[in-house]
Amino acid sequence: MKKENDLKLAVVTPVYNDDTLLFRLFESLERSESKAFTWIIINDGSTDGTEAVMNTIQERASFKVRTRSRKNGGKCSALNVAFEENPDFDFYVVIDSDTEVLADAIKKLRDKVRQYQEDETVGAIYCWRNMKNDPVLQRKLPNRPKEDRLLTVYEKRASKGLFGDGVTGYYKRFISKYRFREFPGEKFIGEGTILLRAAMKGYAARIVYVDIVMSEGEYSATGLTAQGRAMRLRNPYGMIYYSGMMQSKLLPDWRMRCKYAVGAQAYASVSKISKKDLVRENIDSNYLKAWAKLPGMLLGIYWKLKYIG
């Protein structure tokens, strides 16, 4: 029987102006049945009381805590910092500050991490989170698959029954090879891009979708879900990069590939980004399909009127 501490697990939380929620998350971690983890908190340029809350957490925590404050750069950039500055863990699970971890979740996750630890085709484990103010998720969550599903992110997009909002954790072998892309002047990029890159490279590409509800909470009125398209339009290079990877033939549904081709052109149209601009940012210029230019321009006009004004 392996000792509980033989697996070095990190819980990673980027936080921006969520001091009250961060302390609530801390209290839920204190109720965890397993304390065999280190909590890494990245303060992403908060201007509220986050710094003071982190100091209080370090004083009171019954588990190990590491903190880091930096200039605001966005969630995925903060995750890159966490991975780069803390390379001494076997597994990194990302928990947002607007949720609370369920008491049995970390114990269950540790068991799953051990189960697939020697399988180098697996790079990540995906658990569920229950967002209570999402009525669609409330209907679907009870019907999630009960058995493990091992899929690439492209296969997941084509798979029925895998839906909703989740919590992703990454093996060391995965974060040793991959990082989130960062583009000058942009603070948002889809978290799925790192999984898409792995699927395209073919190393540690599979994700294990497991029947573990990791956390629960409610979407913030100022968060990504609420801001939606407007935030994406303010970060066009990241969205063209994401939309381009979603055009890969690894995605079985050709209609979905067409949708993302039009989307890429829409982001380019709104921001007046050309193929030469993409080359300069080391993005494949073929992500802008000629046939999708006109519908993309029309979609871009619609987005601009509706979300920017």
Side-chain angles (χ1 to χ4, degrees):
M1 185 71 179
K2 291 185 177 181
K3 296 179 181 179
E4 188 173 57
N5 290 324
D6 67 345
L7 177 74
K8 296 190 69 176
L9 174 70
V11 174
V12 184
T13 301
V15 59
Y16 175 72
N17 286 351
D18 274 337
D19 51 1
T20 301
L21 295 178
L22 181 65
F23 195 80
R24 188 186 68 176
L25 173 57
F26 164 63
E27 292 179 319
S28 75
L29 289 169
E30 281 290 344
R31 296 190 293 270
S32 176
E33 294 174 6
S34 171
K35 301 291 179 61
F37 63 89
T38 297
W39 192 16
I40 301 170
I41 309 171
I42 306 294
N43 176 13
D44 190 39
S46 298
T47 56
D48 62 357
T50 293
E51 191 77 27
V53 170
M54 291 195 308
N55 292 336
T56 300
I57 287 171
Q58 284 197 302
E59 291 172 0
R60 298 185 186 180
S62 60
F63 45 81
K64 295 178 182 179
V65 178
R66 298 181 186 178
T67 63
R68 167 76 148 82
S69 293
R70 53 165 246 151
K71 182 179 178 181
N72 178 248
K75 179 179 179 179
C76 290
S77 176
L79 290 175
N80 282 343
V81 169
F83 297 152
E84 289 163 8
E85 295 185 356
N86 300 275
D88 51 322
F89 292 92
D90 301 307
F91 193 83
Y92 304 75
V93 59
V94 180
I95 305 291
D96 289 343
S97 58
D98 60 354
T99 61
E100 298 177 70
V101 173
L102 301 187
D104 63 348
I106 289 178
K107 186 175 184 298
K108 289 181 177 179
L109 176 62
R110 290 180 63 86
D111 291 340
K112 282 296 177 184
V113 172
R114 284 198 188 93
Q115 183 178 341
Y116 295 96
Q117 194 166 11
E118 303 304 319
D119 187 345
E120 292 193 357
T121 70
V122 172
I125 294 178
Y126 183 101
C127 306
W128 307 98
R129 67 176 187 170
N130 180 16
M131 303 308 283
K132 297 178 180 178
N133 57 346
D134 184 336
V136 175
L137 181 58
Q138 290 299 299
R139 291 196 304 270
K140 291 183 174 181
L141 189 64
N143 300 317
R144 63 190 181 277
K146 303 304 179 185
E147 73 285 348
D148 291 359
R149 301 279 298 277
L150 278 72
L151 304 168
T152 70
V153 68
Y154 288 112
E155 292 167 341
K156 183 260 186 182
R157 292 300 299 266
S159 177
K160 295 181 179 180
L162 291 175
F163 48 79
D165 203 348
V167 172
T168 306
Y170 308 94
Y171 280 97
K172 183 173 184 175
R173 57 178 165 264
F174 185 93
I175 64 99
S176 295
K177 187 172 181 66
Y178 305 111
R179 289 289 186 274
F180 292 101
R181 284 291 306 270
E182 297 183 45
F183 297 102
E186 296 193 5
K187 297 181 180 179
F188 170 78
I189 189 170
E191 290 176 63
T193 54
I194 198 170
L195 297 169
L196 290 169
R197 187 178 176 199
M200 295 178 78
K201 293 289 185 181
Y203 174 73
R206 294 199 299 174
I207 309 155
V208 185
Y209 295 86
V210 300
D211 184 24
I212 297 173
V213 179
M214 193 77 195
S215 61
E216 60 184 17
E218 294 186 354
Y219 291 118
S220 168
T222 59
L224 173 60
T225 302
Q227 295 186 47
R229 188 67 62 189
M231 179 178 284
R232 291 173 170 86
L233 287 168
R234 293 194 296 270
N235 297 270
Y237 282 106
M239 291 310 302
I240 292 171
Y241 177 66
Y242 170 77
S243 299
M245 287 195 291
M246 288 298 291
Q247 297 172 44
S248 169
K249 290 184 179 179
L250 292 170
L251 182 64
D253 190 337
W254 65 269
R255 292 165 296 186
M256 193 174 291
R257 297 200 301 268
C258 291
K259 167 188 166 184
Y260 282 101
V262 173
Q265 283 284 14
Y267 289 113
S269 174
V270 170
S271 301
K272 297 180 171 54
I273 292 173
S274 68
K275 286 193 171 188
K276 288 183 179 179
D277 296 323
L278 296 187
V279 172
R280 188 185 65 245
E281 296 298 333
N282 196 26
I283 300 174
D284 189 345
S285 62
N286 290 322
Y287 289 169
L288 295 182
K289 299 286 191 296
W291 65 263
K293 187 170 184 177
L294 179 58
M297 289 176 60
L298 295 174
L299 180 60
I301 292 170
Y302 170 74
W303 282 350
K304 190 172 182 179
L305 292 172
K306 183 172 182 178
Y307 301 109
I308 299 178

